[in-house]
Amino acid sequence: MADYTYTLLIPLIPLFMFLLLGLTGHKMKPVVSGLIGTSGLGIGAILAYATAIRYFWTGHVAGTSYASIKAFEVSWLHLTEKLTIHLGVLIDPISVMMLVVITTVSLMVHIYSIGYMKGDPGFYRFFSFLSLFSFSMLGLVLATNIFQMYIFWELVGVSSFLLIGYYYEKPSAVAASKKAFIVTRFADLGFLIGILMLSFNTGTYDFQTLTDPHGPAIASLGGAAFMGMSVLTWSLIFIFVGGAGKSAMFPFHIWLPDAMEGPTPVSALIHAATMVVAGVYLVARLFPVYALAAPDALHVVAWIGGFSSIFAAVIACTQTDIKRVLAFSTMSQIGYMMLSLGVSGFGGEEGLGFMASNFHLFTHAMFKALLFLGAGAVIHAVHSNEIKDMGNLRKYLPITHITFLIACLTIAGIPPFSGFFSKDEILVAAFHSNKILFAIEYIVAGLTAFYMFRLYYGIFWGKKTHYHHTPHESPLVMTIPLMILAFGSVFAGFLPFHNLVTSDGIGFESHIDWMIAIPSVLIGVIGIAIATVMYKNESAIPDKIAATFKHLYNWAHRKFYMDEVYLFVTRKIIFRYISDPIAWFDRHIVDGTMNGIAGMTVYAAYAIKGLQSGKLQQYAYVFVGGTVILVLIFVYLT
């Protein structure tokens, strides 16, 4: 078996860069700290690509599955004879795929940030946080066991908190970072409960043992039922709750649009390759357990994914902040991936949904990073996030315009761009499993094409010709990543994913189902056509439609008032009826009791302090008096 011990360096190099830049970056010139951080990620990317080429070239022989290899492992905590927590590196198809995704997008973000963050006083701090984020995500996807994944899962949360709140002098950024951290903490509580339940039932945390289709863990699963579902099913649903929080699935999605308060490169990193796909990766990592032992939990995954995708797509159609449009687009696309996992079976063509979900994760990383970095170039040029402040920018930003258009065509599912291939596989999997979910995703396909080209035309077309300053194209350090990601968006769809990342590690035959693909393309074209009519040139049509469907438009524009619902629940119910009574009990009963004891002690001390006056005559009187009393008592008793 090949030696992959060197893969330990892939996460350790960003960790070293985090420590180096965090401790000594303030002594460096800004560009030096940026180049050091970028070079570290570059080395990690080279190692990741070398690992992918080597693994997929030699990882299996014809007719057998790709090997699952523990490249490195060390015992960390010994709890019982059965439960020991290890830290290590697991190499298999989905972890290798994620290595490529994370290092590619993170490297592009690092390069781009050298130009985008130029002149920022916290330049070295920003690159230090980027390195910590990359280390956290790499440690998560390489975990050999679910507890190690949980450790890095929480570290990803800390890293995102630091990056979202990078502009800590802005109250809105601080509030957004706290919101993301707190919301995902609630979801992560479910994840932890699920881990404890799963490990209690199986006696292991180890992924290889847990996911072996013929192993003792899956064979022993089952147990008592609660509310019509097995304890195992509940444990996997709880684990999915953690994934839903990280991936911003309904109802834990409310942190996602506020996360746009961070610098735009952070948005690209969070929404393309790291935080939001962690939930998809979690379900994919445990997929054999879901599919073989708890199919009911997969139904929950599918329906939450389907609802989230259409819910976010409708909201995206009404947003005016370009980064928020892309944020809800991410939520919608992650919903696609979750739905695909939820409708998948296990093994061979039955596992089409699993393959399609990971395929879309891969292509989505390319075009969504391209969209966010392109949006950053636009914001860099006009100093605004609002569509109303943009227009006709294709003349000023030719490279950004072309690359952004490529990304829009890709996410709209137009062939031959990569999004067409991965989305088609998801639709085929949904069609053969659940016609309702399939119909939902057809609608989402049209909405996606519509809101993306609404965004495209609002930025690059229209009649706006006057700017306070003439916009200009970004420097090469920012446009080169755009061109590289555009190349990936175009050609990533031609990778033979059906032979690389499958539910059982064995490749299968896959082809385009034109009976499903052609209507989906037509739906996308219709969405683009409608957006062209409404937004290519200034028109009164959007305002008329918004007025006609006033209430629906307002609800969608206000994100269906989910933030208000959460505020009502927390302030009016939790704070008033739970937190306030607990606070009253703490202040008046707990603190009151302690204060009362302290007060009695002080009173008693004041009352008896005269006994220690330091006057010898007083001590003599007390001594003699006490002696007399004791003698009298003794005489009386005897």
Side-chain angles (χ1 to χ4, degrees):
M1 185 174 292
D3 182 14
Y4 289 92
T5 307
Y6 69 88
T7 54
L8 183 62
L9 293 173
I10 299 176
L12 289 184
I13 291 174
L15 175 61
F16 174 75
M17 293 301 165
F18 161 66
L19 296 173
L20 177 65
L21 296 177
L23 296 175
T24 66
H26 62 285
K27 299 179 181 179
M28 305 176 186
K29 291 183 178 180
V31 68
V32 173
S33 60
L35 290 174
I36 290 175
T38 304
S39 299
L41 231 295
I43 295 171
I46 292 171
L47 292 175
Y49 274 86
T51 301
I53 294 170
R54 182 184 182 193
Y55 179 79
F56 286 119
W57 189 270
T58 63
H60 76 133
V61 296
T64 63
S65 62
Y66 283 99
S68 178
I69 304 168
K70 286 183 179 178
F72 172 83
E73 190 171 53
V74 62
S75 178
W76 181 45
L77 293 177
H78 185 76
L79 302 178
T80 68
E81 291 185 4
K82 289 186 177 181
L83 288 180
T84 299
I85 300 175
H86 297 86
L87 297 177
V89 172
L90 180 63
I91 300 296
D92 69 351
I94 57 173
S95 66
V96 173
M97 175 203 70
M98 288 300 294
L99 283 181
V100 173
V101 168
I102 295 168
T103 55
T104 299
V105 175
S106 187
L107 178 59
M108 294 301 105
V109 168
H110 273 73
I111 296 171
Y112 181 93
S113 298
I114 292 174
Y116 189 88
M117 300 299 292
K118 183 179 180 181
D120 188 276
F123 196 87
Y124 77 92
R125 178 168 56 91
F126 180 78
F127 277 87
S128 176
F129 291 167
L130 284 185
S131 295
L132 177 63
F133 199 102
S134 301
F135 161 70
S136 305
M137 195 64 198
L138 289 167
L140 187 156
V141 301
L142 291 172
T144 59
N145 60 82
I146 195 169
F147 210 95
Q148 178 187 341
M149 177 183 276
Y150 184 76
I151 294 170
F152 283 95
W153 189 275
E154 295 304 316
L155 195 54
V156 167
V158 172
S159 307
S160 64
F161 172 82
L162 295 173
L163 286 168
I164 294 169
Y166 174 77
Y167 296 124
Y168 58 85
E169 70 280 1
K170 289 176 56 179
S172 58
V174 174
S177 63
K178 291 192 293 185
K179 186 176 183 180
F181 192 78
I182 292 170
V183 171
T184 53
R185 292 293 71 69
F186 278 98
D188 291 350
L189 175 62
F191 187 14
L192 180 59
I193 293 171
I195 290 174
L196 297 176
M197 293 174 66
L198 183 64
S199 61
F200 179 81
N201 280 275
T202 61
T204 183
Y205 295 117
D206 185 73
F207 282 133
Q208 286 183 331
T209 305
L210 281 171
T211 59
D212 183 357
H214 309 293
I218 289 182
S220 65
L221 291 174
F226 176 70
M227 294 180 65
M229 290 189 292
S230 69
V231 173
L232 169 66
T233 300
W234 280 109
S235 69
L236 291 176
I237 289 175
F238 276 120
I239 288 174
F240 170 67
V241 167
K246 275 286 189 291
S247 290
M249 294 289 93
F250 182 90
F252 298 106
H253 65 283
I254 59 169
W255 66 267
L256 191 67
D258 296 79
M260 299 301 99
E261 291 292 337
T264 301
V266 170
S267 303
L269 194 60
I270 289 177
H271 291 80
T274 52
M275 188 170 178
V276 293
V277 298
V280 178
Y281 179 80
L282 172 62
V283 177
R285 170 56 72 197
L286 291 172
F287 185 76
V289 187
Y290 277 93
L292 298 176
D296 287 343
L298 274 187
H299 295 158
V300 175
V301 173
W303 281 101
I304 292 295
F307 179 80
S308 298
S309 66
I310 194 168
F311 179 81
V314 170
I315 295 175
C317 292
T318 64
Q319 299 302 297
T320 58
D321 182 314
I322 63 174
K323 289 174 66 176
R324 289 177 183 261
V325 173
L326 296 179
F328 283 106
S329 169
T330 297
M331 178 183 170
S332 182
Q333 295 300 304
I334 298 293
Y336 256 112
M337 301 174 206
M338 287 293 193
L339 179 148
S340 188
L341 287 171
V343 299
S344 180
F346 182 81
E349 294 185 7
E350 293 295 319
L352 176 63
F354 177 91
M355 184 278 291
S357 177
N358 285 280
F359 193 10
H360 199 58
L361 187 157
F362 188 86
T363 60
H364 175 266
M366 303 301 165
F367 63 72
K368 187 51 64 69
L370 176 56
L371 285 168
F372 268 106
L373 296 184
V378 171
I379 295 169
H380 188 263
V382 301
H383 306 296
S384 174
N385 291 22
E386 291 292 325
I387 297 176
K388 65 181 177 62
D389 297 326
M390 303 168 188
N392 208 31
L393 286 174
R394 69 188 187 281
K395 298 179 180 179
Y396 304 101
L397 312 174
I399 297 176
T400 302
H401 168 235
I402 295 299
T403 55
F404 200 91
L405 176 60
I406 289 173
C408 289
L409 291 169
T410 306
I411 194 174
I414 304 301
F417 301 99
S418 61
F420 162 75
F421 296 98
S422 56
K423 188 178 74 172
D424 175 69
E425 300 285 16
I426 292 176
L427 292 173
V428 172
F431 178 79
H432 292 295
S433 177
N434 189 309
K435 299 297 190 295
I436 296 176
L437 290 174
F438 167 75
I440 289 174
E441 295 316 307
Y442 252 18
I443 296 171
V444 173
L447 291 174
T448 302
F450 170 76
Y451 68 68
M452 286 310 305
F453 275 83
R454 168 182 175 265
L455 180 63
Y456 165 73
Y457 287 124
I459 296 172
F460 296 104
W461 292 75
K463 295 182 179 179
K464 185 177 180 66
T465 57
H466 176 70
Y467 289 94
H468 295 296
H469 64 281
T470 303
H472 59 85
E473 186 61 272
S474 301
L476 280 176
V477 73
M478 293 172 64
T479 55
I480 287 176
L482 297 182
M483 291 183 277
I484 294 173
L485 290 169
F487 179 85
S489 298
V490 174
F491 294 106
F494 294 101
L495 288 173
F497 246 70
H498 56 278
N499 288 323
L500 301 176
V501 182
T502 60
S503 59
D504 57 358
I506 302 174
F508 59 88
E509 291 297 323
S510 179
H511 62 276
I512 297 174
D513 188 334
W514 291 108
M515 295 298 293
I516 293 175
I518 292 175
S520 73
V521 173
L522 291 176
I523 289 173
V525 171
I526 291 171
I528 294 173
I530 294 173
T532 302
V533 171
M534 293 175 63
Y535 297 103
K536 185 174 182 291
N537 298 304
E538 290 187 10
S539 168
I541 297 176
D543 292 335
K544 291 180 180 179
I545 293 176
T548 303
F549 300 97
K550 180 180 179 181
H551 296 296
L552 176 60
Y553 177 85
N554 287 337
W555 274 67
H557 184 66
R558 295 295 299 272
K559 296 164 285 189
F560 292 96
Y561 297 94
M562 287 301 300
D563 284 300
E564 288 78 0
V565 170
Y566 272 93
L567 285 174
F568 175 81
V569 171
T570 53
R571 291 179 177 177
K572 301 298 184 181
I573 298 177
I574 296 177
F575 289 175
R576 177 177 294 181
Y577 298 108
I578 299 177
S579 300
D580 285 349
I582 291 174
W584 183 92
F585 182 85
D586 181 66
R587 286 194 303 270
H588 294 86
I589 305 301
V590 178
D591 287 352
T593 301
M594 295 299 102
N595 292 336
I597 294 173
M600 291 173 60
T601 303
V602 171
Y603 175 79
Y606 273 103
I608 65 174
K609 70 177 182 178
L611 297 176
Q612 293 184 331
S613 64
K615 298 177 180 179
L616 293 177
Q617 295 164 319
Q618 180 180 347
Y619 292 165
Y621 291 147
V622 173
F623 176 78
V624 172
T627 302
V628 171
I629 292 172
L630 289 174
V631 170
L632 292 175
I633 292 173
F634 178 77
V635 171
Y636 176 79
L637 292 176
T638 57

